Amino acid sequence: MVSRSQDRSPGRFAYEGLARAVHEKARLSILTSLLIHRDGLSFNELKSLCSLTDGNLNRHLEVLREESFVEITKEQSAGRGSTRCRLTKEGRLRFFDYLEELQNVVRDATATTTDAPRAWKPRLQT
Amino acid sequence: MVSRSQDRSPGRFAYEGLARAVHEKARLSILTSLLIHRDGLSFNELKSLCSLTDGNLNRHLEVLREESFVEITKEQSAGRGSTRCRLTKEGRLRFFDYLEELQNVVRDATATTTDAPRAWKPRLQT
């Protein structure tokens, strides 16, 4: 039997589950922030948590909104408008699909721990 | 004490360790393939394992070579030249730095497993 790590079938390491909409670093930051903060986050909170500029955050939120990952609402409080971002139900499910594939990448890599750097701490359950 | 998942400090979800050279999906495929296959892989093997076209694989290998992640050697066998790709020692170490940050992403996400989809199987050790 061929072990998973030695499997050389076509596409074995293609990781098709790493959807482009999610995998981009800034969008991965945004989605993880929103996954954890179920009640949503304001534009400024997201900007700070993800270390993004106004322009970058706007651009990536727009991609995520178009792809139905997030919903963006304008709220009025004390006369000032504020933008609130939340993960959609569909976005949450699709983000977990992505995370499943991300775990596959880490699992594949940990198959080589016999010569991993000393500082490496694998945290995946086998 | 603020739990890690509720920490709202600036840049908390920025994941600066997700180096651009590595995080791009095709390059992540290539590096994981090479990490597992310590003796290196031929151009055609990589192309198949990662489901890439000649042009794409060439382009991404060039980026990885310029950034000292991989070394590419031309070998002669039976009169035909073949290209062999290997992870450099430095590339291996930097790839593990990246994987460490990738584990952080999965760990952060698993902090929300109380409402994860039924099919989700977290495999990170806590």
Side-chain angles (χ1 to χ4, degrees), chain A residues 11 23 48 92 115 123 125, chain B residues 11 23 38 48 115 123 125:
Chain A
H23 190 61
S48 167
R92 178 176 293 267
D115 69 331
R123 295 196 298 258
Q125 288 161 355
Chain B
H23 189 61
R38 292 212 59 182
S48 166
D115 69 330
R123 295 196 298 259
Q125 288 160 355

Side-chain angles (χ1 to χ4, degrees), chain A residues 2-73:
Chain A
V2 176
S3 74
R4 186 176 157 85
S5 64
Q6 290 306 310
D7 174 9
R8 293 203 179 198
S9 57
R12 166 64 185 82
F13 295 98
Y15 302 121
E16 300 294 354
L18 298 184
R20 186 169 297 271
V22 184
H23 190 61
E24 199 284 331
K25 192 181 107 168
R27 293 197 287 269
L28 185 53
S29 296
I30 295 167
L31 290 170
T32 308
S33 308
L34 293 177
L35 183 70
I36 291 175
H37 297 97
R38 292 211 60 183
D39 298 331
L41 290 165
S42 73
F43 187 89
N44 285 331
E45 286 169 330
L46 264 181
K47 204 175 76 167
S48 167
L49 287 170
C50 303
S51 295
L52 292 169
T53 61
D54 281 42
N56 265 332
L57 179 53
N58 261 321
R59 188 163 58 88
H60 289 300
L61 278 178
E62 186 53 29
V63 173
L64 291 171
R65 200 189 55 75
E66 275 173 12
E67 302 249 357
S68 304
F69 277 97
V70 303
E71 57 190 9
I72 299 166
T73 50

Side-chain angles (χ1 to χ4, degrees), chain B residues 12-32:
Chain B
R12 165 64 185 83
F13 295 97
Y15 303 122
E16 300 294 352
L18 297 183
R20 185 168 297 271
V22 183
H23 189 61
E24 199 284 333
K25 190 181 108 167
R27 292 198 286 270
L28 185 53
S29 296
I30 295 168
L31 291 171
T32 308

Side-chain angles (χ1 to χ4, degrees), chain A residues 76-90:
Chain A
Q76 293 290 335
S77 63
R80 298 192 315 169
S82 79
T83 300
R84 194 145 195 96
C85 312
R86 286 185 189 81
L87 206 54
T88 62
K89 195 169 172 182
E90 180 193 343

Side-chain angles (χ1 to χ4, degrees), chain B residues 3 10 87 106:
Chain B
S3 74
L87 206 53
V106 180

